[in-house]
Amino acid sequence: MSQPEPSSPYLSGNFAPILMECDAHDLPVLGELPRALRGTLYRNGPNPQYAPRDAHYHWFIGDGMVHAFHIEDGRVRYRNRWVRTNKFQREQAAGHALFGSWGNPATTDPSVLGQNDGVANTNILWHGGRLLALEEADLPIELDSESLATRGDVDYGGKLDGAMTAHPKIDPVTGEMVFFAYSADGPFTPGMRYGVVDRDGRMQRLERFEAPFPSMVHDFMVTQNHVLFPILPLTGSMERAMRGEPAYAWEPKLGSHIGIMPRSGGAAQIRWFRGEACYVFHVMNAWESGSRIIADVMQYDTAPLFNPDANGARARLCRWTFDMAGKSDRFTREYLDDMPGEFPRFDERFSTLPYRHGYFAFRQHESSGRGSYDGLAHIDLHSGKRVTHVLPEGDAVSEPVFVPRAADSAEGDGWLLATVYRGAEARSDLAVYEAGALADGPVATVPLSHRVPFGFHGNWLGAD
């Protein structure tokens, strides 16, 4: 590294990058890995290659690094690789950072002004025969599922000419991947894009519409017949960025706007519902019940991270209900659980459909610090019962990923996989839990000799 990292909470502890790519061919296993667990857990997250140019570095903009844990016959092998984006390759050739935060021209080297600065650091999933590294401001990037080598941008035969969300939804009935993008007409613009890719990886639909205002729209909802676009008052502004102010800011007076579009229709049929200001980074699931649409989300009363007045804002699992048969443009909100948490997951064989079991990460010890979680929760949405597992103080856990025991297993019958940072040892484990017995702790842990830095999202690709 050509320069030392600046002082930043997002460049210290387990937020700090690891500066190597490595392979471990046969990791030790404590406990016993289920023999039926066969496949690969992929995780993605920020891992800056070089010290950032901006004094106020943000976690969201680090170069993407993918971590892969391949499990088979009770054994585990591990590999990590940076995603070779345009930004990564240009900076690697230069030997130092070239791009400013959020594409800010005021802090970008003139040699790369106007070039793609995507980092592919947010999510990773398999669809249409491709392993895709995703970030919401750019095209998907395909990786080799074994070597993690970067194969290049995916534009679906030239049909996708811009960004795609980091949170597409896979319809378990049709196999389609449904996606959206915000700032579709350039940074901090209100244009939105909606698209559908069929199960074989062919673009079927792509259209554009206008949101009420430019908003950071990190996630969205899909049911069997509808798509929901949450336009919430965390707004983007190039004018602010050029003045040296935060590009994103909390403007609660704008309220919340939820656009609902029929999947069989188009943008002209979007119906807008309105509510009080709130913010949502992540959605659990959404489905239909008669004339109602129901969505379970992790709702903040005020936007964290970008709002200096957030005062430690926490998300809680909240149910939004929309009456499509009614004439009102309002929707109802009901908290389902009082435990603050984030990174909601569920058995995604039930995506877009009614479901019962949900999982999320939460923070038990305030000493764990901002952006980290030290507990996992399982909530039974029929009974309301919550079961938890809490790590020792100083440790931290990632988003839990559900893996079904078999393709035809009952909902919730399977395992939760997560990486665990061991604070006292400055290294990480892979932890495997029985999803229905979370309180018992992991049935197996797989120790690494290095850290897996705090990241965002991951997914499982079964061996079959």
Side-chain angles (χ1 to χ4, degrees):
M1 178 172 289
S2 59
Q3 302 174 43
E5 301 282 5
S7 176
S8 166
Y10 291 125
L11 292 169
S12 61
N14 200 40
F15 287 100
I18 56 173
L19 303 179
M20 84 290 192
E21 297 175 315
C22 64
D23 298 80
H25 298 290
D26 195 1
L27 292 169
V29 176
L30 306 178
E32 187 173 351
L33 283 168
R35 291 285 167 162
L37 190 60
R38 299 175 61 250
T40 305
L41 174 69
Y42 298 97
R43 283 198 52 78
N44 198 354
N47 194 79
Q49 178 184 198
Y50 294 112
R53 296 172 67 87
D54 299 61
H56 303 292
Y57 168 81
H58 197 283
W59 187 33
F60 287 4
I61 59 174
D63 299 298
M65 176 174 273
V66 173
H67 304 261
F69 296 86
H70 180 77
I71 304 173
E72 191 167 10
D73 299 327
R75 303 175 74 173
V76 184
R77 66 177 187 266
Y78 166 87
R79 171 171 288 154
N80 71 323
R81 294 291 186 272
W82 269 292
V83 184
R84 264 59 178 179
T85 61
N86 174 69
K87 173 185 181 293
F88 181 93
Q89 294 182 88
R90 291 299 302 268
E91 293 184 339
Q92 187 179 55
H96 58 86
L98 296 171
F99 293 83
S101 299
W102 313 107
N104 188 347
T107 53
T108 295
D109 188 283
S111 67
V112 293
L113 279 173
Q115 287 204 21
N116 187 304
D117 64 345
V119 288
N121 70 2
T122 310
N123 203 353
I124 182 163
L125 59 79
W126 178 269
H127 183 261
R130 294 184 176 111
L131 182 65
L132 304 175
L134 303 173
E135 177 228 337
E136 60 204 50
D138 292 281
L139 288 169
I141 294 181
E142 183 180 1
L143 305 182
D144 184 276
S145 61
E146 285 289 332
S147 69
L148 300 184
T150 300
R151 291 181 171 174
D153 292 346
V154 176
D155 63 6
Y156 297 99
K159 294 182 179 180
L160 183 61
D161 60 354
M164 186 176 102
T165 177
H167 285 288
K169 309 301 180 189
I170 310 298
D171 186 323
V173 177
T174 66
E176 293 174 326
M177 180 171 71
V178 182
F179 69 91
F180 78 101
Y182 66 96
S183 295
D185 302 319
F188 316 124
T189 57
M192 301 281 292
R193 181 183 290 113
Y194 167 72
V196 178
V197 177
D198 72 16
R199 66 167 64 245
D200 298 316
R202 297 174 299 218
M203 183 73 70
Q204 297 297 308
R205 286 185 63 181
L206 190 65
E207 58 182 289
R208 182 198 169 280
F209 64 94
E210 197 92 352
F213 49 83
S215 170
M216 178 184 281
V217 189
H218 185 66
D219 203 350
F220 76 139
M221 306 83 148
V222 180
T223 69
Q224 279 295 294
N225 298 295
H226 296 86
V227 186
L228 290 75
F229 304 100
I231 311 301
L232 308 175
L234 179 57
T235 67
S237 167
M238 182 60 78
E239 290 76 13
R240 277 198 301 260
M242 292 300 292
R243 292 196 301 265
E245 300 172 12
Y248 286 100
W250 179 241
E251 297 190 73
K253 65 181 183 298
L254 296 173
S256 299
H257 301 249
I258 316 298
I260 301 182
M261 183 183 79
R263 284 175 65 176
S264 61
Q269 296 171 277
I270 293 177
R271 178 177 173 183
W272 290 98
F273 288 78
R274 293 169 174 78
E276 298 302 315
C278 68
Y279 194 73
V280 169
F281 274 117
H282 299 117
V283 171
M284 182 88 83
N285 195 21
W287 70 100
E288 288 144 359
S289 177
S291 64
R292 298 181 305 153
I293 295 175
I294 303 169
D296 290 346
V297 305
M298 298 302 284
Q299 177 180 292
Y300 297 85
D301 292 332
T302 182
L305 303 178
F306 298 92
N307 178 10
D309 300 319
N311 293 324
R314 300 283 189 269
R316 291 179 290 157
L317 186 61
C318 186
R319 177 161 291 177
W320 294 356
T321 302
F322 305 84
D323 182 1
M324 301 302 290
K327 297 181 179 179
S328 173
D329 67 353
R330 311 296 288 185
F331 63 100
T332 64
R333 294 187 262 199
E334 174 193 5
Y335 282 110
L336 301 179
D337 193 75
D338 60 1
M339 175 175 282
E342 252 295 1
F343 295 119
R345 297 299 296 258
F346 66 108
D347 184 340
E348 294 187 6
R349 296 174 298 165
F350 293 82
S351 181
T352 76
L353 302 167
Y355 75 118
R356 177 173 182 171
H357 299 283
Y359 314 93
F360 59 89
F362 68 92
R363 185 183 305 159
Q364 178 75 23
H365 306 110
E366 284 304 314
S367 60
S368 295
R370 155 171 92 164
S372 63
Y373 302 89
D374 55 19
L376 293 178
H378 166 211
I379 183 167
D380 183 327
L381 293 161
H382 287 187
S383 69
K385 181 181 178 182
R386 187 215 307 143
V387 176
T388 64
H389 172 70
V390 179
L391 299 172
E393 191 165 2
D395 292 356
V397 68
S398 73
E399 164 197 67
V401 174
F402 179 84
V403 180
R405 196 174 308 274
D408 57 355
S409 295
E411 182 194 353
D413 181 18
W415 304 280
L416 292 178
L417 274 61
T419 56
V420 175
Y421 170 61
R422 303 300 185 185
E425 303 169 61
R427 60 165 197 83
S428 296
D429 292 340
L430 171 67
V432 179
Y433 301 82
E434 282 280 350
L438 184 60
D440 295 341
V443 297
T445 56
V446 181
L448 287 170
S449 58
H450 67 275
R451 295 181 297 106
V452 174
F454 292 138
F456 298 127
H457 302 291
N459 281 290
W460 174 258
L461 176 61
D464 298 330

